[in-house]
Amino acid sequence: MKISIICVGKIKEKFYREAVAEYAKRLSRYCKLEVLEVEDEKTPEQPSPAQKEQILRREAERMERYIRPDAHLTALAIEGRKMDSEQFASRIESLGVRGISHIQFLIGGSLGIHPSLLDKADDKLSFSDMTFPHQLMRVILLEQIYRGYRIMNKEPYHK
């Protein structure tokens, strides 16, 4: 299985970069992982609705370059479906059983993901009703993918 995380912005904080690297290393025995970063737009302190639309549209255009038509596309969005770790593991496993060999996850920037990309997604996934920094969501997503593979392989996971 190939898993791609298409995300807006680079991670500046060393502790987030180290966490991403650690989970990428752990996942290497289960799947082929790639993290694709697109440039984020500078967002004013109080953006107008028109500015928000423009920012989301530009970030979406950059993300869209990486979206593969043969991949299963999952967008992370507050309004998405919530599931526990076992359900998430089962979802990844069932996609593989159905012959899907590539899953792509979208993580938007500080304003989220443009509606056009949300509409294009096969799934919308929510980890919480709370808002998290997009850099932290990358780590949380990687941890859950790793946990999912541990569950699928009936391996203990307590870390």
Side-chain angles (χ1 to χ4, degrees):
M1 176 74 71
K2 179 176 181 178
I3 295 186
S4 302
I5 300 175
I6 304 169
C7 42
V8 173
K10 295 199 177 298
I11 293 183
K12 296 167 188 69
E13 295 86 354
K14 183 180 178 193
F15 58 93
Y16 285 141
R17 285 195 315 269
E18 289 172 349
V20 167
E22 176 63 27
Y23 282 110
K25 183 177 84 176
R26 291 181 186 193
L27 280 165
S28 66
R29 59 185 283 229
Y30 300 107
C31 65
K32 182 178 183 339
L33 175 72
E34 67 179 349
V35 178
L36 305 164
E37 298 175 331
V38 302
E39 184 182 349
D40 58 341
E41 286 290 309
K42 302 295 178 257
T43 304
E45 192 68 36
Q46 301 267 327
S48 69
Q51 287 173 313
K52 286 181 183 178
E53 169 65 23
Q54 183 179 40
I55 289 166
L56 286 170
R57 191 173 27 77
R58 286 181 179 161
E59 290 175 347
E61 287 168 0
R62 292 181 189 128
M63 294 176 88
E64 199 141 7
R65 293 180 199 141
Y66 292 107
I67 295 173
R68 299 282 312 262
D70 60 331
H72 183 87
L73 188 62
T74 300
L76 272 60
I78 287 178
E79 66 274 13
R81 178 176 163 214
K82 292 180 184 68
M83 56 182 84
D84 62 27
S85 296
E86 286 79 14
Q87 290 169 320
F88 184 64
S90 178
R91 182 73 179 141
I92 293 172
E93 190 170 39
S94 71
L95 290 171
V97 168
R98 288 188 2 224
I100 294 168
S101 61
H102 191 182
I103 302 172
Q104 292 186 307
F105 291 94
L106 298 178
I107 301 176
S110 60
L111 298 176
I113 297 174
H114 193 273
S116 66
L117 281 185
L118 292 174
D119 290 343
K120 187 178 279 195
D122 299 302
D123 282 324
K124 291 178 212 54
L125 176 65
S126 174
F127 284 96
S128 173
D129 290 331
M130 295 181 195
T131 302
F132 295 101
H134 54 280
Q135 300 94 332
L136 178 58
M137 274 317 305
R138 206 177 305 183
V139 175
I140 293 170
L141 174 61
L142 286 167
E143 190 279 335
Q144 284 299 302
I145 294 168
Y146 175 67
R147 184 181 295 262
Y149 274 104
R150 298 288 292 189
I151 291 167
M152 282 184 263
N153 288 287
K154 309 217 182 324
E155 297 168 351
Y157 186 89
H158 300 94
K159 296 178 182 176

